[in-house]
Amino acid sequence: QVQLVESGGGLVQAGGSLRLSCAASGRTFSRYAMGWFRQAPGKEREFVAAINWSGGSTYYADSVKGRFTISRDNAKNTVYLQMNSLKPEDTAVYYCAVDASGDGRATPRRYEYDYWGQGTQVTVSS
């Protein structure tokens, strides 16, 4: 079992920045790929970014490429999402997830993630 707790969400003006954190506990965090997803009202949950077990490989949705950066600190069992140049269309609940049954490679496929956090709200005003 893995427990994930996100933090760092909030209200920000367009063009601003936020840094999300996701603290993991319960299993050997450093073995697993991690991902961030988001869900806006009335929309499907969508992939945002993923990172492999070591942090050496990352993967981004086209909509956030160049603006968001995913990173991890295995010593702290934490994954981060640095979000810059935020836009109103980035408004959503952001979820972190862990691929605890994979081989540690980053994946954008939602069904490959086994455990999810409770989400943190990000609201970007225009």
Side-chain angles (χ1 to χ4, degrees), residues 35 44 58 104 123:
E44 293 283 319
T58 56
T123 303

Side-chain angles (χ1 to χ4, degrees), residues 20-24 29 34 71-80:
L20 305 183
S21 299
C22 174
F29 172 80
M34 301 290 295
S71 61
R72 67 190 295 162
D73 185 338
N74 286 342
K76 295 182 178 180
N77 285 357
T78 301
V79 64
Y80 305 97

Side-chain angles (χ1 to χ4, degrees), residues 4-10 18-23 36 78-81 94 96 118-122:
L4 302 172
V5 179
E6 301 99 334
S7 61
L18 282 174
R19 187 195 196 202
L20 305 183
S21 299
C22 174
W36 285 97
T78 301
V79 64
Y80 305 97
L81 185 68
Y94 283 71
C96 72
Q118 81 290 349
T120 186
Q121 176 70 47
V122 171

Side-chain angles (χ1 to χ4, degrees), residues 33-37 47-52 57-61 70-71 79 81 105-109 113:
M34 301 290 295
W36 285 97
F37 291 75
F47 170 74
V48 175
I51 189 165
N52 77 329
S57 177
T58 56
Y59 194 89
Y60 295 95
I70 188 171
S71 61
V79 64
L81 185 68
R105 288 185 290 181
T107 174
R109 292 180 286 273
Y113 290 86

Side-chain angles (χ1 to χ4, degrees), residues 23-105:
S25 62
R27 287 176 72 171
T28 307
F29 172 80
S30 61
R31 293 182 181 177
Y32 307 127
M34 301 290 295
W36 285 97
F37 291 75
R38 66 187 182 187
Q39 187 167 17
K43 294 189 176 181
E44 293 283 319
R45 190 172 298 188
E46 65 174 3
F47 170 74
V48 175
I51 189 165
N52 77 329
W53 67 275
S54 69
S57 177
T58 56
Y59 194 89
Y60 295 95
D62 288 343
S63 59
V64 307
K65 205 171 291 183
R67 300 188 298 122
F68 290 10
T69 302
I70 188 171
S71 61
R72 67 190 295 162
D73 185 338
N74 286 342
K76 295 182 178 180
N77 285 357
T78 301
V79 64
Y80 305 97
L81 185 68
Q82 177 67 44
M83 305 186 294
N84 298 329
S85 302
L86 282 161
K87 305 175 181 180
E89 51 263 44
D90 294 318
T91 295
V93 177
Y94 283 71
Y95 299 89
C96 72
V98 60
D99 177 8
S101 55
D103 60 5
R105 288 185 290 181

